[in-house]
Amino acid sequence: MGKQRFYVFIILAYLFFLKLYAYDKNDVVSLINHSYKFYDNGLPDSALVYSNLAMHKADSSGTPVYLLKVLINQGIIHRKLRSYVIAKQRYLRAASIAKNENDYRRLSIVYNNLGIIYMDVSQVDSALYYYFKSAELEEDKGATSRMVSVYNNISKAFRRNLQYKEALEYAEKALKVVESNNEISPYSEALTYLQLGNAYYEMDSLGLAGKYYNHSLQICQKIGHRDMLSTCQLNLGNISFKNNEYMKALDFYLKCLPVIQQVGKTEQVVRVLNNTGNAWYEMEKLDSALFYYRRAEQLARKHHFSQQLGAILEGLSSVYWEKGDKDSAFVFMKERMEVAQNFYKEETADAIAELQARYETEKKEKEIIAQRGRIQQAVIQRKNLLFALITVIFIAVSGILFFVSRSRTLKLQNERNTEKHNKEVTRLLQEQELKSLDAMIEGQDTERKRIAEDLHVRLGTTLAATKMHLEAAEEQLQSKQYEYIDNLINTAIEDTRQISHNMLSGVLTKFGLIAALKDLKKTIETAGDLSVSIKTIQFDQRLATDKEINLYRIIQELISNTLKHAQATQLSILLEKREGLLYLFVSDNGIGFDNNKSYKGIGLRNIQTRVSKIGGTLWVESKLGMGTRTEIKVPV
């Protein structure tokens, strides 16, 4: 009888705890649902309160799937609150749980959300890393709506990285999924058309960009998605403006304005108001232009949008100049220059902070590699000590001969382990060095672009203001003096524009590699120290933009090395295309160097890194007194 009561008690207790356990789970789900409701209503702080309660319940329950749901919920909320470090921690913990539970659907969601966080903080390469991990999981399942989202995110990241060809490739991948699956949502379809339009717009294919923007626009009008709808209207207006169709552009801007005001994106509202003012200005409707410029100015000042304020002030200055109010024009132009200088200082400070952070990160990575090497060495030493102790035991049991044999085996094993360890440390250090070189080259290109933009924005604006002052003082100067000063200013403006274009590889971008090299040849031969010859064989088509830019920079570096070290009087460049390969030969008649010695200067490492980046191979041949010959082979 006692045993029966005991069993009944056990069963009742089990049922009680089972009920309590189930209640906890339902409570967790309910708290998460409440959290999402507050989040959707624009109350992330309240959402976080319910999420923290759900986290406490999920932790105490010990059920991984509910803990995973709460972590994803918290990652979304902390990203909204811009607490990116905490959001990343939540997602990384969620990824670990999802892997352990083989929950690849949620693992894909976590990877995609991690990519979005890294995009928010402008770490595009890290974002692409997680986007690709998410895409890999989705591709195993076939055409899904999430796959479309991930492909579009990859396209957006490549576009942020100025890799427009790759951005277009992944937008087209998303389109293929949309076209092959009837269950894809209209939102995903509209987003795909928008990303395609963005890619073509950046590549100056305005016709195709307009086609896809219109497709996205029609879907957004049906589903009532105001955010994408306003973006499509703004972009279609920009295309019309570029095509000098100002009335059509104005129509798009005026339709876009009330929609984007409802969405609540103030920065976009400022952009639309400024673009509307630009359209009125081009149609010589100065009062209308002034009205929209003034509205844009008020919002930009209120929300401290300094970058947009500069463009608005320039527009106001132009309007007042055309209206004959030169004093007001000077005031706005002066403020425009001050805003440009302040923005430059802020941008420089941000760049320095970013470089410092990158330096600290690389320093920590090197310390980790060194620490890993010390740990591995300690493990090896510990193993050796253990083997030595075992050997001593075997000495007592087996005798001198066994001791000798065992010692030899241990020595060989130790050497192998040490060699393996050294190779691993060397490999890690080489990888880190290549990453640093790649970052340095990328930084050089970014710096060229920044300097060119500074020349255009700051010096160009200053010269324009000077010319305005000169025109205002025309009556007070003699005719010859005015003509002479005016010619000098025009020459300075043209030189500034030419320098800006050259630093942005303007000739290269517009006319191709050969035209850019011929332009470079003229520049070098002007000094009179080096004669340059350029020859091509069956090289009659443009290459991909990234290959042309990298080849141009490689040739610049080789010429720089020749001018600095070779004491050469002649340099020849040969470009030959055959059997799907491009051969680049650069040779000089300089003093050469000992090819048997290892030269690892920054210039040569930059060249090697750029060659590797475009999938090529590099050979350098030189002898003392016999000049230097460089051969590069690149697939095209």
Side-chain angles (χ1 to χ4, degrees):
M1 190 69 179
K3 287 186 178 180
Q4 290 179 345
R5 289 180 180 176
F6 176 74
Y7 289 138
V8 169
F9 173 77
I10 292 296
I11 292 171
L12 290 173
Y14 173 75
L15 291 174
F16 172 76
F17 284 113
L18 185 63
K19 183 178 179 180
L20 181 63
Y21 181 78
Y23 172 76
D24 284 344
K25 298 301 173 293
N26 291 331
D27 203 16
V28 170
V29 174
S30 176
L31 289 168
I32 292 174
N33 289 337
H34 276 86
S35 176
Y36 278 122
K37 285 180 182 178
F38 279 108
Y39 179 86
D40 292 337
N41 288 321
L43 299 169
D45 291 317
S46 300
L48 188 59
V49 171
Y50 280 91
S51 185
N52 286 334
L53 290 172
M55 176 67 81
H56 176 72
K57 290 280 187 182
D59 271 331
S60 61
S61 71
T63 305
V65 66
Y66 286 97
L67 185 57
L68 179 56
K69 287 182 178 181
V70 178
L71 287 168
I72 293 174
N73 171 254
Q74 291 216 338
I76 293 170
I77 296 169
H78 281 294
R79 185 214 164 206
K80 182 71 173 180
L81 295 171
R82 297 189 178 183
S83 302
Y84 297 118
V85 174
I86 299 175
K88 186 167 63 173
Q89 290 172 349
R90 298 294 188 269
Y91 283 135
L92 290 173
R93 187 180 172 193
S96 177
I97 295 172
K99 285 180 184 177
N100 292 335
E101 296 298 312
N102 295 324
D103 190 343
Y104 295 112
R105 181 178 70 85
R106 288 194 177 89
L107 182 59
S108 172
I109 293 171
V110 170
Y111 284 151
N112 190 40
N113 288 353
L114 277 166
I116 292 171
I117 286 177
Y118 278 110
M119 283 292 288
D120 286 346
V121 296
S122 300
Q123 295 183 22
V124 182
D125 290 338
S126 297
L128 282 169
Y129 170 77
Y130 282 107
Y131 283 150
F132 280 125
K133 287 174 77 69
S134 179
E136 184 179 354
L137 292 171
E138 293 297 339
E139 284 166 354
D140 291 337
K141 299 176 183 179
T144 66
S145 182
R146 283 193 304 277
M147 184 186 295
V148 174
S149 174
V150 175
Y151 282 158
N152 281 323
N153 284 342
I154 292 173
S155 176
K156 184 178 180 181
F158 274 128
R159 190 159 51 84
R160 179 84 68 86
N161 240 8
L162 308 181
Q163 296 172 268
Y164 303 127
K165 182 179 177 182
E166 291 80 359
L168 179 60
E169 176 188 347
Y170 277 89
E172 288 176 340
K173 281 189 174 184
L175 181 62
K176 287 181 181 178
V177 177
V178 169
E179 292 174 343
S180 64
N181 191 333
N182 295 328
E183 297 181 0
I184 298 298
S185 67
Y187 168 81
S188 295
E189 185 178 359
L191 181 62
T192 301
Y193 287 135
L194 178 61
Q195 292 300 331
L196 278 164
N198 290 337
Y200 279 116
Y201 184 85
E202 296 292 352
M203 297 170 73
D204 286 331
S205 297
L206 301 183
L208 288 171
K211 169 187 170 183
Y212 287 110
Y213 284 145
N214 274 311
H215 286 336
S216 183
L217 178 69
Q218 292 169 10
I219 297 172
C220 291
Q221 287 172 337
K222 290 180 182 178
I223 64 177
H225 197 285
R226 290 177 297 184
D227 193 357
M228 271 199 292
L229 174 63
S230 62
T231 301
C232 291
Q233 290 170 331
L234 173 59
N235 292 342
L236 285 167
N238 292 341
I239 289 174
S240 299
F241 190 91
K242 278 192 170 185
N243 289 330
N244 300 325
E245 299 173 344
Y246 303 120
M247 185 59 72
K248 188 176 178 181
L250 189 62
D251 181 55
F252 279 116
Y253 293 148
L254 293 176
K255 287 178 180 177
C256 171
L257 188 57
V259 179
I260 208 165
Q261 284 173 333
Q262 292 175 355
V263 174
K265 290 188 174 180
T266 309
E267 192 169 0
Q268 286 286 73
V269 172
V270 173
R271 184 172 287 109
V272 174
L273 288 170
N274 185 49
N275 288 0
T276 306
N278 290 338
W280 282 120
Y281 178 80
E282 292 297 334
M283 293 189 294
E284 300 182 357
K285 303 292 184 180
L286 300 182
D287 290 333
S288 297
L290 186 61
F291 173 76
Y292 283 97
Y293 282 145
R294 280 296 192 184
R295 289 179 63 187
E297 179 198 11
Q298 290 174 0
L299 279 176
R301 290 186 190 279
K302 180 179 179 181
H303 296 279
H304 307 289
F305 298 146
S306 56
Q307 186 174 9
Q308 293 198 46
L309 181 61
I312 296 166
L313 292 171
E314 192 168 331
L316 285 167
S317 176
S318 299
V319 169
Y320 279 112
W321 183 266
E322 293 294 333
K323 290 171 73 71
D325 188 350
K326 296 184 178 180
D327 291 337
S328 297
F330 286 139
V331 169
F332 283 113
M333 181 59 72
K334 180 181 177 182
E335 186 181 0
R336 192 264 181 276
M337 289 188 288
E338 291 173 353
V339 168
Q341 290 173 349
N342 291 334
F343 181 75
Y344 167 76
K345 291 177 182 177
E346 292 173 2
E347 192 179 47
T348 302
D350 290 342
I352 291 172
E354 183 180 349
L355 287 172
Q356 182 66 27
R358 184 180 297 177
Y359 168 76
E360 293 295 335
T361 301
E362 290 177 357
K363 182 179 178 182
K364 288 180 180 177
E365 288 177 353
K366 289 180 179 178
E367 289 175 356
I368 290 170
I369 292 171
Q371 185 177 6
R372 188 183 300 169
R374 289 193 294 269
I375 291 171
Q376 290 178 350
Q377 188 65 36
V379 170
I380 292 171
Q381 291 175 353
R382 191 173 297 172
K383 286 181 179 179
N384 290 341
L385 179 59
L386 179 61
F387 283 131
L389 291 172
I390 295 172
T391 303
V392 170
I393 295 171
F394 274 91
I395 289 171
V397 178
S398 304
I400 302 296
L401 293 176
F402 183 77
F403 166 77
V404 173
S405 176
R406 184 63 176 170
S407 297
R408 186 175 299 171
T409 302
L410 287 173
K411 183 179 179 181
L412 290 173
Q413 185 175 359
N414 184 37
E415 289 176 353
R416 291 194 195 98
N417 288 337
T418 303
E419 183 180 358
K420 183 178 179 182
H421 154 69
N422 291 336
K423 286 181 178 179
E424 176 67 12
V425 172
T426 301
R427 183 186 67 81
L428 290 170
L429 289 172
Q430 287 175 345
E431 285 182 0
Q432 184 61 37
E433 185 179 7
L434 286 174
K435 286 180 182 178
S436 299
L437 279 171
D438 198 24
M440 182 180 69
I441 291 172
E442 182 180 350
Q444 288 174 349
D445 289 338
T446 303
E447 186 67 8
R448 287 191 182 97
K449 182 177 179 183
R450 183 188 66 74
I451 293 171
E453 289 174 349
D454 286 345
L455 282 171
H456 176 70
V457 173
R458 300 178 67 207
L459 183 56
T461 303
T462 303
L463 290 172
T466 305
K467 186 172 177 63
M468 290 167 61
H469 280 289
L470 177 64
E471 290 178 0
E474 179 179 357
E475 296 178 356
Q476 301 174 15
L477 296 173
Q478 295 181 8
S479 176
K480 290 184 179 180
Q481 289 177 320
Y482 175 79
E483 289 179 3
Y484 178 71
I485 297 171
D486 187 54
N487 287 336
L488 285 177
I489 293 175
N490 288 334
T491 301
I493 292 173
E494 177 59 26
D495 288 346
T496 302
R497 185 189 66 81
Q498 187 64 38
I499 293 169
S500 175
H501 284 189
N502 287 343
M503 295 205 72
L504 285 172
S505 299
V507 175
L508 177 63
T509 304
K510 291 181 179 178
F511 303 107
L513 179 60
I514 300 304
L517 291 177
K518 289 180 179 178
D519 191 55
L520 180 62
K521 165 183 165 72
K522 290 180 182 178
T523 303
I524 293 168
E525 290 184 338
T526 301
D529 295 329
L530 184 66
S531 173
V532 180
S533 66
I534 300 172
K535 183 178 180 182
T536 62
I537 301 176
Q538 295 185 356
F539 185 67
D540 53 1
Q541 292 181 343
R542 293 288 300 270
L543 302 177
T545 303
D546 62 324
K547 287 189 177 178
E548 287 192 339
I549 290 174
N550 278 290
L551 286 169
Y552 182 75
R553 299 295 185 212
I554 289 167
I555 294 171
Q556 276 187 317
E557 194 73 56
L558 290 170
I559 292 175
S560 175
N561 288 344
T562 299
L563 290 170
K564 289 178 181 177
H565 310 296
Q567 302 177 23
T569 58
Q570 294 179 350
L571 182 140
S572 66
I573 301 170
L574 171 63
L575 287 156
E576 180 179 0
K577 186 178 177 184
R578 64 174 186 264
E579 298 177 354
L581 295 172
L582 175 66
Y583 293 86
L584 168 64
F585 303 95
V586 180
S587 58
D588 63 54
N589 65 343
I591 60 175
F593 59 87
D594 188 349
N595 208 35
N596 294 322
K597 294 184 178 179
S598 177
Y599 288 88
K600 296 183 179 179
I602 291 176
L604 185 57
R605 283 187 289 172
N606 283 351
I607 293 169
Q608 180 62 65
T609 302
R610 285 191 183 275
V611 171
S612 300
K613 193 172 184 180
I614 56 178
T617 52
L618 169 70
W619 292 272
V620 179
E621 183 180 358
S622 183
K623 291 182 180 179
L624 291 173
M626 300 294 289
T628 303
R629 174 183 171 86
T630 304
E631 178 181 342
I632 296 170
K633 182 169 66 174
V634 180
V636 294

